[in-house]
């Protein structure tokens, strides 16, 4: 039986205070010196922890500590203290900077639960030669993310190793969706019909906080329904992603427990038959859609010769190398209270990092295709332009807009995807998912007289081959695929060739096939903005002071000027979200009041997607304007720095930093 957390904390505090009072550290040093000098045999090469503990007991140090401790129920606590002293420490030097507090969960007795326990990993051969980290050393880590039926969890980060110490338990609620079924206990037959898998995503984070997608795995948990004890153990072989999707990344040992256990279990044959029927049904739907898509493509090519060169994409490979219809990557996604408007959703998506799928060898100049499932994209916190575009389109659909993903090219014929919305007044708006910029589309009339005024496109897009969302797929069959010449009247069949919505829905609508990844909900921000802002600002102040000290310059901070900079940073972020600038007049007036006559003011704002102080400061110093402020020399120099961290869903954040200085002008 273990102590409750509050009692354990109280016990540790009492012991800590008592040890300080006894000057225990000096006694331990004396015992250690005597043991090394007197008791260590010549044949021994080192002093073990057990030898040292025995020396402490022989010299009565442990007894001295115990005899002055007075508790109620002394004997029981003494036994627990002895257990604490004699329990070896875990063999790891990893320091968890963000420990996860265990929370008690109230289990509904009318609901069925699946307890998924991860019991460690093995055979992660990429880390076979990785040395054990030294005490306090920052090291690369593994984090396991999990999604099941609208529930998301993640493990604590553990050091990367050939056999990583992933030891976690996740309590997953199994329930039937639908009116009137919420209070019923799910029986074996009901659970057999629940084909939603447990989606596991393993992420590696290196010492510079860069993330890498290691594996994405869909676990069919229903084998536990045939276990008489309601418990089963499995070994999950995780495969790599992208070009390594056929190579084993590692193995996770797991156990599945059903609470409460089933009164009547299913035979393994029934479960196998059900899984086989689901696979056959999915395969047949995918086969019929492929036959339809081939016929549709032939018809599209027959319309005109130029259609062969247009960028029309019907299928795309996911991180596991599975070809899926592009429409299946878009779903209606509602963010609840996490995002308040479509423009804020665009800002959130733009804060997720851009990274193209790596190509082994890096040669040939070709681009490795990899459209990620939504959970893998969110957990990695970065992805390619296709991942950004499909997420933004899903969020805009959730806000009730008529949104589509556009597939086309940018200048220099670079393939690109972006998002388009159609207004009820036929207004066409392009949304760049990487920057949150919006552009109005006004088509150029090629038949207009030469001197007639024509709109000048402000968007960076050159050609468009097709558009799609969760229900529709349309290919551009107009004479030219140039964006500025295109009409977006999707009802005009001479301009856009549409796929059958019924055919698209047969393989892309939620629940249509078991091969579709389930749609995860967005999670709230992982940062506390005020604390993160204060911490980053303190770290930047320290770096500025040290940098100026190396130059032989003193540093005097103006706290009032630093505070005045806050309004500018808030206005910058508001402008990024809404496209509207406001508050500049108040900021300029406040600066004029804070800077005396005869003084010069200089300011340098900069934006980051991370909150690493050293990386941010190094980036700032690469700008000659910022370097001029940080290294300012003159009469009565005062420096200021202000940081604002704006937290968004998942682990996305917008970090604004402004350096400023004021000094007396000397001619």
């Amino acid at each position: 039986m273990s102590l409750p957390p509050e009692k354990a904390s109280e016990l540790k505090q009492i012991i800590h205070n008592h040890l300080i009072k006894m000057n225990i550290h000096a006694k331990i040093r004396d015992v250690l010196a005597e043991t090394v000098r007197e008791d260590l045999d010549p044949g021994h090469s080192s002093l073990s922890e057990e030898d040292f503990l025995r020396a402490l007991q022989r010299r009565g140090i442990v007894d001295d500590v115990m005899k002055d401790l007075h508790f109620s129920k002394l004997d029981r606590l003494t036994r627990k203290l002895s257990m604490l002293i004699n329990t070896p420490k875990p063999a790891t030097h990893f320091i968890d900077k963000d420990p996860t507090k265990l929370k008690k969960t109230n289990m509904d007795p009318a609901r069925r639960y699946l307890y998924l326990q991860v019991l460690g990993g093995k055979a992660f051969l990429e880390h076979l030669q990785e040395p054990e980290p030294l005490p306090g050393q920052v090291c690369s880590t593994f984090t396991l993310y999990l999604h099941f039926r609208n529930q998301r969890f993640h493990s604590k980060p553990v050091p990367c190793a050939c056999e990583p110490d992933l030891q976690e338990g996740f309590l997953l609620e199994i329930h039937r969706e639908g009116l009137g079924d919420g209070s019923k206990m799910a029986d074996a037959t009901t659970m057999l019909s629940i084909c939603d898998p447990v989606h596991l995503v393993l992420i590696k984070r290196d010492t510079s906080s860069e993330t890498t997608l290691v594996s994405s795995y869909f676990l069919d948990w229903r084998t536990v329904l045939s276990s008489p004890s309601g418990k089963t153990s499995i070994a999950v072989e995780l495969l790599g992603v992208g070009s390594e999707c056929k190579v084993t990344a590692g193995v996770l040992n797991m156990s599945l427990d059903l609470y409460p256990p089933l009164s009547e279990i299913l035979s393994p044959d029934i479960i196998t038959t059900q899984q086989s029927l689901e696979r056959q049904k999915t395969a047949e739907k995918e086969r019929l859609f492929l036959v339809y898509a081939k016929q549709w493509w032939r018809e599209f090519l027959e319309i005109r010769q130029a259609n062969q060169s247009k960028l029309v994409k019907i299928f795309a490979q996911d991180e596991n190398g599975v070809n899926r219809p592009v429409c299946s990557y878009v779903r209606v996604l509602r963010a609840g209270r996490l995002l308040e408007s479509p423009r804020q959703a665009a800002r959130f998506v733009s804060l997720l990092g851009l990274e193209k799928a790596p190509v082994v060898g890096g040669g040939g100049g070709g681009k490795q295709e990899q459209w990620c499932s939504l959970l893998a994209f969110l957990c990695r916190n970065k992805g390619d332009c296709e991942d950004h575009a499909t997420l933004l389109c899903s969020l805009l659909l959730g806000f009730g807009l008529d949104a589509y993903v556009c597939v086309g090219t940018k200048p220099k014929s670079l393939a690109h995807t972006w998002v388009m919305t159609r207004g009820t007044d036929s207004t066409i708006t392009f949304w760049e998912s990487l920057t949150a910029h919006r552009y109005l589309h006004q088509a150029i009339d090629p038949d207009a007289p030469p001197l007639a005024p024509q709109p000048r496109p402000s968007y960076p897009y050159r050609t468009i081959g097709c558009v799609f969302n969760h229900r529709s797929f349309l290919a551009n069959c107009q004479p030219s695929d140039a964006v500025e010449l295109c009409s977006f009247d999707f009802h005009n069949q001479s301009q856009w060739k549409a796929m059958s919505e019924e055919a698209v829905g047969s393989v892309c609508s939620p629940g249509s096939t078991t091969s579709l990844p389930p749609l995860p909900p967005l999670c709230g921000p992982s940062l506390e903005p005020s604390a993160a802002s204060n911490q980053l600002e303190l770290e930047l102040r320290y770096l500025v002071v040290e940098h100026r000290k190396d130059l032989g310059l003193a540093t005097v901070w103006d706290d009032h000027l630093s505070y005045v900079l806050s309004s500018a940073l808030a206005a910058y972020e508001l402008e990024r979200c809404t496209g509207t600038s406001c508050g500049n007049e108040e900021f300029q007036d406040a600066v004029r009041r804070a800077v005396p006559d005869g003084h010069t003011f200089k300011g340098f704002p900069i934006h980051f997607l991370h909150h690493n102080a050293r990386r941010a400061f190094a980036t700032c110093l690469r700008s000659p304007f910022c370097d001029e402020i940080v290294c300012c020399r003159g009469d009565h120099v005062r420096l200021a720095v202000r940081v604002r961290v704006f937290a968004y869903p998942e682990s996305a954040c917008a970090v604004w930093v402004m350096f400023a200085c004021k000094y007396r002008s000397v001619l």
Side-chain angles (χ1 to χ4, degrees), residues 106-363:
N106 293 323
M107 295 177 62
D108 186 345
R111 296 291 183 103
R112 190 84 67 178
Y113 294 87
L114 176 69
Y115 183 58
L116 186 151
Q117 202 168 5
V118 184
L119 304 174
K122 60 183 180 181
F124 286 82
L125 300 181
E126 185 178 341
H127 303 277
L128 184 61
Q129 303 297 328
E130 196 154 315
E132 184 178 356
L134 298 172
Q137 179 184 1
V138 179
C139 60
S140 301
T141 61
F142 282 141
T143 305
L144 183 67
Y145 294 84
L146 182 148
H147 169 233
F148 177 69
R149 295 177 70 80
N150 227 33
Q151 303 162 80
R152 285 182 60 183
F153 302 93
H154 67 86
S155 70
K156 284 184 179 181
V158 301
C160 293
C162 183
E163 297 184 356
D165 189 30
L166 278 165
Q167 304 280 345
E168 290 285 346
F170 306 100
L171 188 64
L172 311 175
E173 183 180 349
I174 304 172
H175 56 273
R176 284 198 62 184
E177 297 174 340
L179 296 175
D181 292 331
S183 61
K184 291 183 180 179
M185 174 75 76
D187 57 15
T189 305
T190 300
M191 289 189 287
L192 183 62
S193 66
I194 299 176
C195 56
D196 298 41
V198 179
H199 191 182
L200 305 170
V201 171
L202 185 64
I203 298 292
K204 175 186 175 182
R205 187 180 300 272
D206 65 17
T207 53
S208 60
S209 298
E210 289 296 319
T211 55
T212 305
L213 176 61
V214 177
S215 183
S216 175
Y217 184 84
F218 297 94
L219 172 67
D220 193 332
W221 53 275
R222 290 174 293 180
T223 53
V224 74
L225 300 179
S226 64
S227 173
S229 62
K231 180 175 181 178
T232 185
S233 297
I234 54 175
V236 174
E237 181 185 6
L238 301 179
L239 298 177
V241 295
S243 58
E244 301 178 12
C245 61
K246 305 298 183 185
V247 181
T248 301
V251 176
L252 288 181
N253 294 318
M254 296 183 177
S255 70
L256 302 174
D257 296 76
L258 211 53
Y259 294 107
L262 291 171
S263 56
E264 295 183 8
I265 63 171
L266 301 177
S267 72
D269 292 341
I270 293 178
I271 298 173
T272 304
T273 302
Q274 174 70 16
Q275 293 169 337
S276 177
L277 289 173
E278 290 171 355
R279 285 193 295 268
Q280 291 174 11
K281 184 179 178 182
T282 294
E284 180 63 15
K285 285 185 176 183
E286 291 174 345
R287 186 189 68 81
L288 292 175
F289 179 76
L290 181 59
V291 170
Y292 169 78
K294 286 181 176 180
Q295 176 62 31
W296 179 92
W297 177 247
R298 283 193 295 268
E299 294 172 359
F300 175 70
L301 294 180
E302 291 171 359
I303 295 175
R304 56 172 46 93
Q305 184 91 15
N307 285 356
Q308 294 184 0
S309 61
K310 292 180 180 177
L311 200 53
V312 178
K313 191 164 192 61
I314 305 173
F315 296 92
Q317 278 191 354
D318 65 10
E319 67 266 26
N320 291 325
V322 178
N323 276 310
R324 290 165 44 197
V326 292
C327 295
S328 67
Y329 290 88
V330 178
R331 311 279 271 277
V332 178
L333 179 59
R334 296 180 178 89
R337 303 286 184 184
L338 299 177
L339 296 170
E340 301 295 338
S341 68
R343 296 194 185 190
Q344 192 180 29
R347 176 62 173 155
F348 157 62
V349 175
S350 71
L351 294 173
L352 300 172
L354 173 65
E355 182 183 76
K356 297 187 180 298
V359 180
V360 176

Side-chain angles (χ1 to χ4, degrees), residues 613-623:
R614 292 193 178 275
R615 281 173 59 193
F617 189 60
T619 303
C620 292
L621 290 182
R622 285 197 286 270
S623 166

Side-chain angles (χ1 to χ4, degrees), residues 354-518:
L354 173 65
E355 182 183 76
K356 297 187 180 298
V359 180
V360 176
K367 175 186 171 185
Q368 173 74 29
E369 175 171 278
Q370 182 177 302
W371 294 35
C372 279
S373 61
L374 181 54
L375 183 66
F377 177 39
L378 294 175
C379 295
R380 190 169 56 141
N381 205 38
K382 59 185 177 182
D384 211 336
C385 59
E386 295 89 357
D387 304 320
H388 289 78
T390 53
L391 173 57
L392 178 56
C393 185
S394 299
L395 288 168
L396 296 184
L397 289 169
F399 278 108
L401 300 182
D402 187 20
Y404 300 82
V405 175
C406 303
V407 179
T409 62
K410 294 192 299 184
K412 299 182 180 179
S413 300
L414 295 175
H416 189 61
T417 57
W418 66 97
V419 179
M420 178 194 75
T421 54
R422 296 196 311 154
T424 54
D425 58 353
S426 300
T427 302
I428 302 299
T429 305
F430 293 144
W431 303 64
E432 177 49 63
S433 57
L434 299 179
T435 62
H437 291 166
R438 301 166 68 250
Y439 309 94
L440 285 177
H441 173 263
Q442 292 177 302
I444 294 175
D445 184 3
D447 300 324
L451 297 180
Q454 296 276 21
R456 298 190 56 155
S458 58
Y459 42 79
Y461 316 121
R462 292 295 176 263
T463 65
I464 182 168
C466 64
V467 301
F468 64 90
N469 61 17
H470 63 306
R471 289 187 304 203
S472 307
F473 184 93
L474 303 105
N476 182 6
C477 53
Q478 298 172 63
S480 171
D481 60 355
V483 177
E484 63 265 21
L485 299 177
C486 277
S487 166
F488 289 91
D489 179 9
F490 293 157
H491 298 292
N492 189 334
Q493 297 182 8
S494 66
Q495 296 178 342
W496 293 90
K497 180 171 176 59
M499 277 192 174
S500 161
E501 287 195 7
E502 183 181 354
V504 172
S506 68
V507 290
C508 297
S509 61
S512 57
T513 65
T514 56
S515 61
L516 280 183

